[in-house]
Amino acid sequence: MLEGHTMEEVLIVRFSEIALKSPRIRRWMISRLRKNLEDALKAAEVGGRVEEKWERIYIWTEDVKKASEAAGRVFGVRSLSPAVAYEYMDLEDLIEKAATWAEECVRGRKFAVRARRDKDLPFTSMDIMVKLGERLKPLGEVDLTSPQVTVNVEVRGRVVYLFSEVLEGPGGLPLGTQGRALSLLSGGFDSAVSSWYVMRRGVELDYVTFSLAGPLQMRDALLVAGVLSSHWSHGYRPTLHLVDFSGVLDEIERVVQAPLRGVVLRHLFYRAAEMIADEEGHLSLVTGESLGQVSSQTLSNLSAASAGIGLPILRPLIGMDKEEIIGKAREIGTAELSEKVVEYCAIARGSSINLSRERFIQVLKNMNLRVLEEAVEGRWKVKLPDGAPGALSEIESRIESWRYRGDEGEDVVRVNYGKGVQVVTPNGFPLTGRELKRALKGLKGGEGVHRLPRGFTYVFSCPTGGWAVRMVSLLRSLGYDAYYSH
Ligand code: ATP
Ligand code: MG
């Protein structure tokens, strides 16, 4: 901060709506913004000092470029300007310093000068603009309507700041000024973008992923949550809750007719998320739903699925088109990961009929919701970003060790779920195809275990991988030798 120096590089940070708040709130929000900026600089390994003032925040650093990249991902920042700061003695000295700095910028170009200053100074902004404009006129052409370069002069007390660039920040409010919420994150485009929009309004977000395909979906979500936390959560360390939903899917398949399953699954997502939110103190849920995007997101199905949910559900994408959402995902850096994510589960993918609330509540009455509690209780909590590498390698190794790499040996039973279930059994396998299917079906209820022969290797495949991985998980938990293959 110019202690003993005559010139120093600095990043000027302007804030967005904070400036409209009452003095008390404004001071509190600026202070939180400063902390978040400090956290962002630390994460980017940029040394520097963040100075908080009423009008602006100044980041005094030797690496202004790296600092502006980091600060450009902090919510509450409206814009940024890499600048130089000088101490000046009087107006003449100020003009001299500004002219020397600006010479190279304006040479041979159309330029404008803009100035701002503290009210209590003995000269006006107009004085600065006129005098500096005159000094620079011989070097270029003054053009106030469409300049190629603008020389900006800001005078605060004894210090003058000079800059020509204004970079856009993400806007919004500082993270941590609007409480905490729980975002339902699938790994797809929508839930990543909806999380971003809610964080942008100052909400600290944790995440929950309901794994419909064992470790496959966990990996997708972990990678996306990793980007959201390392790029956009400065000032907060989120937790990702990974919930194995296979038991819940089994219960849905047991009780609910196919066309209703999508809406029931959605409701159970909310229910499970609400249990976590109650336990962890979240004020609200967040989803990436957009009205009418798919048949389970019609207004009547969203209304039915929300029946009985006490917490507010924030849906920041409700009025957005898919193209806009994907465009935003590219900007925030999650698109590349989401592109690779497939919808693993046929229930989540399938079409839904429109359902009234009354009918929906009837359907739910037949379900045993104990499975939901068990899933939530058994969840795996990953602290981001530090816990991500460890969790990822654990998930990866599970995925790898479940993948079938053997040859078509004698003792391999192949089960392929495409259009219906097809099976290929080896010589000496004691069941017919039909008996095998029945035994597999019975596994979930426990009866099939007695009928399904041991001593064979079971290999499952399906178009998206979700069903196959769930079968592998189930058989392995019962002590069978089981793998999935593509
Ligand atoms: P996304 O792009 O976020 O996957 P989508 O277009 O695939 O959304 P749906 O699958 O209907 O739409 O999901 C709508 C919302 O429900 C998601 O944005 C997300 O908030 C939540 N959601 C869906 N699947 C899961 C899941 N497996 N775990 C957690 N949340 C989920
Ligand atoms: Mg999805």
Side-chain angles (χ1 to χ4, degrees), residues 186-191 217 341-343:
S186 64
F189 289 108
D190 301 344
S191 39
Q217 186 152 28
V341 171
V342 295
E343 205 74 75

Side-chain angles (χ1 to χ4, degrees), residues 153-170:
V153 183
E154 270 186 36
V155 193
R156 307 276 175 206
R158 307 300 308 158
V159 182
V160 54
Y161 299 87
L162 303 167
F163 59 90
S164 61
E165 248 183 313
V166 181
L167 311 167
E168 224 180 291

Side-chain angles (χ1 to χ4, degrees), residues 103-110 138-141 148:
E103 266 176 14
E104 289 316 308
C105 305
V106 304
R107 198 181 297 281
R109 298 164 90 182
K110 293 183 191 174
L139 300 172
E141 182 190 333
Q148 290 168 301

Side-chain angles (χ1 to χ4, degrees), residues 37-76:
L37 284 164
E38 283 167 351
D39 194 43
L41 294 178
K42 203 163 155 216
E45 296 178 352
V46 184
R49 198 174 129 70
V50 184
E51 185 190 18
E52 159 188 341
K53 291 271 171 90
W54 182 248
E55 288 285 335
R56 304 262 189 269
I57 284 178
Y58 298 96
I59 302 179
W60 302 89
T61 170
E62 281 171 9
D63 196 339
V64 170
K65 189 167 178 324
K66 239 172 135 183
S68 64
E69 273 166 27
R73 290 199 302 257
V74 174
F75 295 115

Side-chain angles (χ1 to χ4, degrees), residues 361-428:
I361 289 164
Q362 277 309 325
V363 172
L364 280 183
K365 283 211 170 116
N366 299 325
M367 292 194 73
N368 170 13
L369 291 176
R370 181 69 203 128
V371 285
L372 198 66
E373 286 162 27
E374 282 167 7
V376 168
E377 280 161 17
R379 71 187 183 273
W380 178 12
K381 295 189 199 182
V382 181
K383 195 83 185 155
L384 299 172
D386 296 352
L392 188 63
S393 74
E394 199 173 325
I395 289 169
E396 296 272 10
S397 80
R398 209 185 307 171
I399 292 173
E400 281 311 303
S401 64
W402 287 11
R403 198 198 304 275
Y404 184 64
R405 303 174 179 288
D407 307 321
E408 298 289 320
E410 290 271 293
D411 56 350
V412 173
V413 182
R414 286 200 165 262
V415 186
N416 177 16
Y417 188 13
K419 286 196 171 78
V421 181
Q422 289 135 19
V423 295
V424 180
T425 54
N427 288 335

